[in-house]
Amino acid sequence: MKKLNRILINGGVLSPGELKHICETAESLGMNSISFGSRQDIIFPKDIEKKDLEELKTLQFVFPDEDVIHNIASSYVSSDIFTNTSWLTSARYLYVIEQFKYKPTLRINITDPKQRLVPLFTGNINFIASENEDYWYLYLRLPNWRKTKMYPALIYSWDLHKVAQAIEDVLIEEPENVDTVFELVNDAVETNNRTVDKPLEVPFHPFPYYEGMNRIEDKYWLGLYWRNNLYDTTFLKEMCDLCFENKIGKISITPWKSFIVKGIPVESKLVWEKLLGRFGINVRHSMLELNWHLPVNNIEALNLKKYLVTNFDQNDISTYGLTFGITDFDHNSYNFTSIVIEKNKQPEQIGDFVIRDTYNLLYAKNFDPNTREYIVHVQDVDKVELPGLLMELSKLYFEQLGSEQEVNSPKTSKKETTEEEIHQCSECMTVYHKDYGDITQNIAPGTSFEELPSSYECSVCGAPKSSYEKKVLVK
């Protein structure tokens, strides 16, 4: 597959001025459109010669032969408009993203587990917000690892960039497990880690509808999606000018090859609608269109999507909450959709025989891609069989939706409870849980509070062991 020229957009967030400059640069290089990548970067769909670097020196431009450099992905785009962790505001994202001054060679994700628009685990380094303000879980899947592993400490917001860069540096040692990474990073940088006191919980939310003009309190937000992922530079420049007039400071890119503008004043809604109308832009696509992830600039994948969506539409099938992905045919992509359509590699052609394309269908456990577990539904089927099989999977999704909660809910009026003993610091409320220990002080998991040395101190505030109070959690 052809590699593409990319512009890094840290966290998928840029100002109207930066987007306008990118559009003007594209036009100076003979292009009238730009595209968006699955890691919230910007793609120049035309070949660029390195002699044109003068035009690109102010941009974080990455040529195809520099594809070891990756964009940082974040769920800033969903903040303030979809379900989110209370402390993780738009401003907090921007402060964190701003700290990353280097070009990462690993995929880095900075995400909120309560939102559904941006995948959590598609990076090599995945920072995921915890309930503790300004602290993040870290899940690692380094290039030579087969599985994702949880880092044994919570990372402070202002240490994310230091930890990420240190992890890239320790790859020289080829660490084989997460404990080794932890030790090497702790030796390399000073951080304000916190004890992991409970496992990460990722609640299930249906995939949101993210297009059109939508009101949140006293502002509107606008989501724009174009089927062919070729966004007209003339329109984008005029839109950026309108952002200036409305004092809108940021535009954010989604991983679904679309973008969102937040903070549109109520009194400007008609002006924005006139702009969209003047360019003939449709902002009312069916959810059947919006929940697909395709490789960039892949006409074959786009045509397959159109074929399948047409069949869904003709059969009046609902796919609300589901997402679909078509692999990029070289199997190097990370799956982050509910259902994956995987094209098989064709065998060597012999003579004049025509070999038909065949596909595999996979679906995520519970149809939740954040489980990172995929189940093979069928293998080696023809294209004409795909619509019926996908409708079958869609119905299966709705049949099982909520069944897990029903199984776990009590069937009698008597509520069963369990008790769990923990110890909590009376100074800062940090919890010590024997199941997790405290890796920041070399306390192994399974160590009871009573077994802790008398010199033990709170990993957050430094309070002595005597400051901890025994608590019983009732579940």
Side-chain angles (χ1 to χ4, degrees):
M1 180 179 169
K2 178 184 172 182
K3 293 181 179 178
L4 302 164
N5 303 285
R6 298 175 292 126
I7 298 174
L8 303 182
I9 307 295
N10 278 3
V13 190
L14 73 171
S15 70
E18 289 168 329
L19 179 57
K20 186 172 182 179
H21 174 55
I22 289 169
C23 290
E24 290 171 342
T25 301
E27 290 176 339
S28 72
L29 295 170
M31 288 172 273
N32 58 14
S33 63
I34 60 173
S35 298
F36 299 125
S38 60
R39 288 199 60 80
Q40 298 167 282
D41 41 8
I42 288 179
I43 309 295
F44 275 10
K46 178 183 173 183
D47 290 335
I48 305 296
E49 298 292 333
K50 287 200 174 181
K51 63 181 176 61
D52 295 318
L53 268 176
E54 188 65 25
E55 296 283 348
L56 307 170
K57 64 182 180 181
T58 59
L59 305 173
Q60 292 191 76
F61 199 84
V62 179
F63 284 97
D65 57 0
E66 300 173 304
D67 63 351
V68 292
I69 300 171
H70 294 287
N71 196 53
I72 298 171
S74 85
S75 54
Y76 168 91
V77 62
S78 66
S79 63
D80 305 326
I81 62 174
F82 296 125
T83 304
N84 63 281
T85 298
S86 58
W87 63 264
L88 189 49
T89 62
S90 293
R92 197 71 59 98
Y93 274 110
L94 295 178
Y95 288 138
V96 169
I97 294 167
E98 177 62 25
Q99 307 305 310
F100 286 81
K101 304 293 186 184
Y102 72 101
K103 290 184 177 180
T105 58
L106 295 177
R107 294 182 177 91
I108 298 173
N109 288 17
I110 303 171
T111 55
D112 185 338
K114 293 188 177 180
Q115 57 78 43
R116 199 68 173 180
L117 192 59
V118 179
L120 307 184
F121 299 105
T122 54
N124 303 114
I125 300 174
N126 303 286
F127 295 109
I128 303 172
S130 77
E131 291 294 333
N132 299 304
E133 183 170 348
D134 269 325
Y135 279 90
W136 305 70
Y137 292 95
L138 170 54
Y139 280 78
L140 294 177
R141 185 178 181 179
L142 299 183
N144 58 335
W145 291 9
R146 297 188 65 183
K147 292 185 177 180
T148 303
K149 298 292 184 181
M150 187 183 79
Y151 195 77
L154 298 180
I155 312 299
Y156 187 49
S157 285
W158 317 124
D159 291 338
L160 263 59
H161 66 290
K162 291 193 292 185
V163 170
Q165 192 157 15
I167 290 171
E168 298 219 13
D169 292 341
V170 305
L171 284 183
I172 299 171
E173 308 280 343
E174 296 186 358
E176 295 182 357
N177 58 66
V178 71
D179 292 329
T180 303
V181 174
F182 177 79
E183 292 170 6
L184 292 170
V185 169
N186 270 8
D187 289 343
V189 293
E190 185 175 340
T191 56
N192 187 19
N193 292 344
R194 180 169 179 160
T195 305
V196 177
D197 52 20
K198 63 178 181 178
L200 171 67
E201 294 180 4
V202 182
F204 178 81
H205 295 289
F207 184 71
Y209 187 91
Y210 58 81
E211 194 191 28
M213 192 77 74
N214 304 271
R215 186 164 183 166
I216 295 287
E217 297 179 352
D218 61 341
K219 300 281 187 181
Y220 281 91
W221 62 270
L222 172 66
L224 289 179
Y225 161 84
W226 291 9
R227 283 190 180 119
N228 60 5
N229 193 22
L230 293 172
Y231 289 81
D232 181 77
T233 53
T234 303
F235 163 74
L236 291 176
K237 289 191 299 180
E238 287 203 32
M239 186 199 71
C240 289
D241 290 337
L242 189 50
C243 285
F244 287 131
E245 292 175 23
N246 289 168
K247 297 182 172 58
I248 295 170
K250 298 297 178 185
I251 295 167
S252 38
I253 302 167
T254 83
W256 303 87
K257 321 232 179 2
S258 57
F259 69 93
I260 287 176
V261 181
K262 295 181 272 190
I264 297 172
V266 172
E267 60 272 17
S268 297
K269 178 174 181 282
L270 182 59
V271 179
W272 280 82
E273 289 175 340
K274 284 184 175 181
L275 173 67
L276 298 173
R278 185 152 51 84
F279 282 88
I281 295 173
N282 175 21
V283 290
R284 283 291 177 264
H285 289 96
S286 160
M287 177 59 110
L288 296 175
E289 288 274 359
L290 301 176
N291 55 356
W292 287 79
H293 174 252
L294 307 180
V296 178
N297 280 16
N298 190 308
I299 300 301
E300 185 179 355
L302 183 61
N303 287 337
L304 178 57
K305 174 201 166 179
K306 288 178 180 177
Y307 166 74
L308 295 171
V309 167
T310 299
N311 274 273
F312 284 179
D313 192 42
Q314 288 173 346
N315 286 276
D316 206 20
I317 295 294
S318 169
T319 60
Y320 176 70
L322 282 173
T323 51
F324 298 85
I326 299 176
T327 57
D328 61 1
F329 307 149
D330 62 6
H331 305 287
N332 285 331
S333 60
Y334 286 78
N335 295 327
F336 63 87
T337 57
S338 309
I339 297 173
V340 177
I341 302 152
E342 181 182 75
K343 183 182 178 183
N344 289 314
K345 184 178 179 180
Q346 286 194 345
E348 293 277 340
Q349 187 167 333
I350 302 174
D352 296 327
F353 288 104
V354 176
I355 302 173
R356 291 182 300 183
D357 291 330
T358 63
Y359 302 86
N360 307 323
L361 284 184
L362 300 83
Y363 65 97
K365 182 180 179 182
N366 297 325
F367 292 92
D368 182 357
N370 285 323
T371 64
R372 291 158 286 158
E373 294 182 45
Y374 281 86
I375 300 162
V376 176
H377 185 57
V378 293
Q379 291 181 295
D380 300 321
V381 297
D382 289 338
K383 175 181 174 181
V384 355
E385 298 176 80
L386 288 176
L389 290 165
L390 287 170
M391 290 178 211
E392 180 182 292
L393 278 177
S394 177
K395 290 176 182 176
L396 179 63
Y397 161 70
F398 285 109
E399 285 172 4
Q400 65 86 49
L401 192 60
S403 61
E404 187 173 327
Q405 292 88 329
E406 290 171 7
V407 168
N408 292 334
S409 62
K411 295 185 178 180
T412 68
S413 58
K414 182 179 179 181
K415 184 178 180 181
E416 295 183 9
T417 61
T418 59
E419 294 184 353
E420 185 174 28
E421 183 181 295
I422 62 167
H423 289 77
Q424 187 172 42
C425 175
S426 60
E427 301 294 329
C428 69
M429 302 300 114
T430 294
V431 170
Y432 177 83
H433 195 305
K434 68 176 183 179
D435 289 352
Y436 300 101
D438 185 351
I439 195 71
T440 66
Q441 299 183 60
N442 297 317
I443 306 298
T447 304
S448 70
F449 185 79
E450 291 73 19
E451 294 175 301
L452 295 177
S454 58
S455 59
Y456 179 77
E457 295 179 346
C458 174
S459 62
V460 175
C461 71
K465 181 181 177 181
S466 59
S467 293
Y468 278 77
E469 297 176 354
K470 180 178 177 180
K471 300 287 179 71
V472 176
L473 299 180
V474 179
K475 295 185 176 180

